[in-house]
Amino acid sequence: MEIPGSGYVVVGALVVFFGWLTVKHARRLVTVARMVRSGTRTTGTCVRVETEPYNRSDATRHFFAFRTADGRDVEFEDLAGWSVKEGTEVTVAYDPRDPERTATIAGRGSWSPVLQCLALVAGCGMATLGFTAVFLYQVIGGN
C-alpha cells in the first residue's frame, strides 16, 4: 500500500537534514578558519577517544583538553586523524572570550582543520543540492 505524498515527505526531510548539516558545518568552518588564522594558541592533549558500536573507523570521536591563559580547564570535541590517540599532545587555537565554542586543533598534520571542515561542508552541500533536485523533479514534472 502506497501512501500518497510519502515520497515528497521523505525527500523533503532529507533536504532539510542535509541543509541543516551544511549550515552547521559552514558555521564551524568560519570559526575554525578564524581561530587558525588569529586565535590564541596553547598546548592541549587528547584526553579520550570514543569509538561507536561495531568499531567503525568513521565513527571515532576525539576529545581534547587544555588550560586557558586565565586558568580555566576546557574540554572539547574536534575532528582528528586516525593517528591521534589518547595522550597525544596537540596545538589548540581558541578565542579567549569563548574557548568552549571556538577551540580547534591547529596544525595536526596533513589534513588541516580548515580542509576537514571544508570537506564536510562540500559533501553535505552536494547532498542537499542533489536531494533538492530530486524533490523539485518530483514536484514539477516527475512521477
Side-chain angles (χ1 to χ4, degrees):
M1 177 167 132
E2 186 173 324
I3 300 171
S6 62
Y8 298 129
V9 172
V10 171
V11 176
L14 288 169
V15 169
V16 170
F17 176 70
F18 281 102
W20 171 77
L21 281 176
T22 302
V23 170
K24 175 186 173 199
H25 290 299
R27 292 182 71 199
R28 179 68 181 158
L29 174 62
V30 170
T31 299
V32 167
R34 191 169 36 100
M35 289 307 101
V36 167
R37 189 182 67 234
S38 61
T40 300
R41 292 182 186 264
T42 189
T43 301
T45 306
C46 179
V47 292
R48 164 169 102 254
V49 178
E50 296 179 0
T51 55
E52 299 298 325
Y54 313 112
N55 292 321
R56 294 182 351 214
S57 63
D58 63 337
T60 302
R61 300 172 64 194
H62 291 80
F63 295 87
F64 301 91
F66 68 99
R67 180 166 285 163
T68 63
D70 62 1
R72 278 191 293 170
D73 289 324
V74 176
E75 185 175 310
F76 67 100
E77 180 181 1
D78 204 2
L79 300 171
W82 58 270
S83 63
V84 176
K85 307 281 187 236
E86 192 172 317
T88 302
E89 283 196 2
V90 294
T91 301
V92 177
Y94 68 97
D95 183 343
R97 295 171 295 183
D98 192 6
E100 292 82 5
R101 292 185 48 191
T102 61
T104 189
I105 304 305
R108 75 172 87 101
S110 61
W111 274 87
S112 80
V114 174
L115 289 177
Q116 288 178 339
C117 285
L118 185 60
L120 282 170
V121 171
C124 292
M126 288 190 312
T128 302
L129 290 174
F131 286 120
T132 300
V134 170
F135 184 77
L136 291 174
Y137 176 77
Q138 287 179 338
V139 170
I140 294 172
N143 296 326

